[in-house]
């Protein structure tokens, strides 16, 4: 950390000279054509080729150098400032600053700053900044900031930020942010954000956000969000979109207006999804409560129950998930069928010879009668079997009988 402070101070000194030189130097008002020379420099005005020299530099060596234009190679211990364009190779220990465009290779220990366009390779220890267009390969240990129309491979240790139109491959340890559209692949440790449209792939450890439309795929560790419509696929624990065409795979999938495709998840929801409370008893787990997420025909149920064993035994419980299809039979009478998975915990009963935990696969057929718009009753018959997790052996199997009430919410 102590070594970093002198470097930062030196960088500020170097960066502070650029605006003054661009404003004050007579070379900014002269024609670019002029002699080509060699710049051997100790500091700004202590060089073989002063800043106000008309023309360009073909070879630059020094401690800190400032020149009109570089067409060749520039190597400096602290920093190099080019008032206009740089075509070639620029290497420095701290910072490279170019007022115009850079074409070639830039390598800096701390920062590369280009006022206009970049074409080529830019490598910096901390920060890379390009005012307008960037094309090529840009790598920075901390952050890359580019203007409009960025294309190529952009790699930032923490953050990549680009303006209007971006394309290519963006890789960041923390986040990638594109102001408008992005075409290509964007990958980050936490978050990817595209302000408008995406054509390509977003991959992140936490979440992906596309402001308007997406054509492609989103993959994240927590959630994917599309503000408009997407065509393609969303894969995450939580997926949300205004409308879509394709595939949503996750624990919770949601669309606001319409969806043409397939949703695969524990809960699939939309504005028409009805969330209903179920209270019932049975011969598997004796007392149960569940939430049913019902769409037009299909539904899923998440819930839990207590006392898989008898009431005379110590406490045991379960969690269950069911997915099925419901059809009307006659007026307020409905029939449904579903398949379910149940996880069973026997807690302290394991000390009395019962398995510590089991899982069960179950199939049910249900008859439900709607008493009112808010209340219904149902009976269930089915078959299931419980098995050991660590053995391919059935612990128990048999007929399932259940009955209870449903509280509707419309």
């Amino acid at each position: 950390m102590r070594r970093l402070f002198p470097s930062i101070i030196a960088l500020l000194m170097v960066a502070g000279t650029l605006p003054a030189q661009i404003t004050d130097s007579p070379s900014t008002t002269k024609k670019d054509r002029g002699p080509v020379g060699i710049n051997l420099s100790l500091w700004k005005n202590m060089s073989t080729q002063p800043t106000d020299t008309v023309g360009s530099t073909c070879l630059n060596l020094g401690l800190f150098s400032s020149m009109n234009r570089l067409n060749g190679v520039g190597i400096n211990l602290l920093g190099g400032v080019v008032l206009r364009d740089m075509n070639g190779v620029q290497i420095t220990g701290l910072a490279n600053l170019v007022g115009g465009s850079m074409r070639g290779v830039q390598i800096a220990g701390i920062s590369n700053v280009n006022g206009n366009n970049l074409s080529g390779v830019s490598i910096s220890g901390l920060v890379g900044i390009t005012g307008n267009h960037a094309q090529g390969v840009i790598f920075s240990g901390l952050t890359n900031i580019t203007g409009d129309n960025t294309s190529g491979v952009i790699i930032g240790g923490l953050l990549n930020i680009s303006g209007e139109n971006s394309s290519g491959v963006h890789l960041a340890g923390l986040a990638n942010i594109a102001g408008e559209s992005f075409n290509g692949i964007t990958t980050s440790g936490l978050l990817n954000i595209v302000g408008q449209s995406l054509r390509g792939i977003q991959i992140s450890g936490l979440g992906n956000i596309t402001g308007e439309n997406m054509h492609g795929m989103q993959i994240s560790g927590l959630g994917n969000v599309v503000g408009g419509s997407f065509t393609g696929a969303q894969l995450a624990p939580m997926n949300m979109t205004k409308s879509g065409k394709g595939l949503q795979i996750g624990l919770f999938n949601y669309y606001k207006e319409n969806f043409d495709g397939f949703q695969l998840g524990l809960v699939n929801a939309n504005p028409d999804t009805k969330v209903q409370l179920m209270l019932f008893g049975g011969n598997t787990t004796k007392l149960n409560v569940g939430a049913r997420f019902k769409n037009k025909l299909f539904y899923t149920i998440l819930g839990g129950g207590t006392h898989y064993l008898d009431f005379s035994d110590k406490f045991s419980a379960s969690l269950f998930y069911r997915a099925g299809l419901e059809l009307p039979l006659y007026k307020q009478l409905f029939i449904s069928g579903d398949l379910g998975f149940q996880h069973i915990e026997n807690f302290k009963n394991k000390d009395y010879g019962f398995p510590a935990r089991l899982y069960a696969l179950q199939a049910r057929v249900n008859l439900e009668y709607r008493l009112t718009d808010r209340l219904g009753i149902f009976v269930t018959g089915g078959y299931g079997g419980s098995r050991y997790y660590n053995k391919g052996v059935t612990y128990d199997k048999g007929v399932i009988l259940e009955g209870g009430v449903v509280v509707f919410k419309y």
Side-chain angles (χ1 to χ4, degrees):
M1 183 63 72
R2 292 181 180 177
R3 295 180 181 179
L4 183 61
F5 287 128
S7 299
I8 294 175
I9 293 173
L11 173 62
L12 294 175
M13 293 174 61
V14 173
T17 65
L18 181 60
Q21 294 177 57
I22 293 175
T23 302
D24 300 336
S25 175
S27 67
T28 60
T29 62
K30 297 180 180 181
K31 295 182 179 179
D32 293 333
R33 295 181 179 179
V36 177
I38 296 175
N39 188 326
L40 303 178
S41 176
L42 289 178
W43 205 253
K44 174 182 175 182
N45 293 319
M46 299 175 63
S47 66
T48 60
Q49 199 177 31
T51 304
D52 59 358
T53 299
V54 176
S56 62
T57 300
C58 64
L59 176 63
N60 163 234
L61 299 173
L63 183 66
F64 166 67
S65 301
S66 178
M67 63 208 86
N68 178 55
R69 178 190 294 269
L70 176 63
N71 289 318
V73 178
I75 301 174
N76 290 276
L77 184 61
L78 293 181
V81 176
V82 179
L83 300 183
R84 297 196 178 183
D85 298 337
M86 195 286 286
N87 299 290
V89 179
Q90 194 178 24
I91 302 173
T92 185
L94 293 184
N96 292 310
L97 297 97
V98 176
S101 298
M102 190 285 285
R103 299 176 185 87
V105 178
Q106 277 184 326
I107 301 174
I110 292 183
S111 180
N112 290 316
V113 180
N114 296 287
N116 198 10
N117 303 327
L118 180 153
S119 296
V121 178
S122 175
I123 300 173
S124 60
L126 291 183
V127 180
I129 299 174
T130 301
N132 287 323
H133 311 324
Q135 182 179 9
V137 178
I138 303 175
F139 172 83
S140 293
L142 188 66
T143 300
N144 291 308
I145 301 173
T146 60
D148 302 334
N149 300 317
T150 300
S151 61
V153 179
I154 314 296
I155 303 173
L158 288 183
L159 188 66
N160 291 318
I161 301 174
S162 57
E164 291 186 359
N165 301 315
S166 302
S167 62
V169 178
H170 288 198
L171 307 175
L174 184 66
N176 291 305
I177 300 173
E180 290 191 7
S181 64
F182 183 88
N183 297 328
I185 299 173
T186 172
T187 302
S188 71
L190 288 182
L191 188 65
N192 293 314
I193 298 175
V194 175
Q196 291 186 3
S197 61
L198 166 71
R199 287 183 176 271
I201 300 174
Q202 286 182 316
I203 302 173
S204 72
L206 185 65
N208 297 309
I209 299 173
T210 297
E212 293 184 3
N213 300 324
M214 181 197 81
H215 290 78
M217 180 179 294
Q218 290 179 318
I219 303 172
S220 75
L222 181 60
N224 296 314
V225 178
V226 175
S229 176
F230 87 84
T231 300
Q234 290 182 314
L235 288 79
M238 294 186 294
N239 299 303
M240 291 177 282
T241 184
K242 183 178 180 181
S243 60
K245 182 179 182 180
L247 181 66
Q248 283 184 325
I249 300 177
L251 301 178
F252 175 80
N253 300 313
Y254 174 82
Y255 68 88
K256 184 177 180 180
E257 292 184 356
N258 55 75
F259 190 85
D260 182 11
F262 182 70
Q263 291 178 307
L264 179 61
L266 293 180
V267 176
N268 300 313
N270 59 72
D272 296 326
T273 299
K274 301 176 179 63
V275 182
Q276 302 164 344
L277 177 65
M278 303 181 71
L279 302 171
F280 59 95
N283 64 340
T284 52
T285 44
K286 310 306 184 290
L287 301 173
N288 304 273
V289 59
R292 182 168 67 181
F293 301 87
K294 188 177 181 305
N295 295 303
K296 291 181 179 179
L297 297 177
F298 295 95
Y299 63 87
T300 57
I301 302 173
L302 290 173
T306 181
H307 288 86
Y308 171 75
L309 302 174
D310 293 331
F311 287 112
S312 59
D313 296 310
K314 293 186 178 297
F315 179 76
S316 57
S318 74
L319 296 173
F320 58 84
Y321 170 77
R322 291 156 56 182
L325 171 69
E326 182 183 74
L327 297 171
L329 279 182
Y330 177 75
K331 292 185 178 180
Q332 300 300 314
L333 183 63
F334 295 81
I335 186 172
S336 63
D338 55 64
L339 300 175
F341 174 88
Q342 185 179 36
H343 171 78
I344 302 159
E345 284 284 344
N346 284 320
F347 300 103
K348 292 184 178 181
N349 290 287
K350 65 181 181 180
D351 299 331
Y352 297 90
F354 295 101
R357 58 189 56 87
L358 299 163
Y359 74 93
L361 301 177
Q362 302 164 337
R364 290 175 171 83
V365 176
N366 315 286
L367 281 177
E368 182 176 320
Y369 186 77
R370 309 282 168 83
L371 298 173
T372 68
D373 290 340
R374 298 288 182 177
L375 184 65
I377 58 174
F378 70 91
V379 292
T380 295
Y383 188 84
S386 56
R387 298 172 64 87
Y388 295 88
Y389 276 105
N390 58 351
K391 303 177 185 178
V393 178
T394 299
Y395 174 76
D396 189 19
K397 60 182 178 180
V399 174
I400 298 172
L401 296 175
E402 293 172 339
V405 298
V406 181
V407 179
F408 300 106
K409 181 180 179 181
Y410 291 94

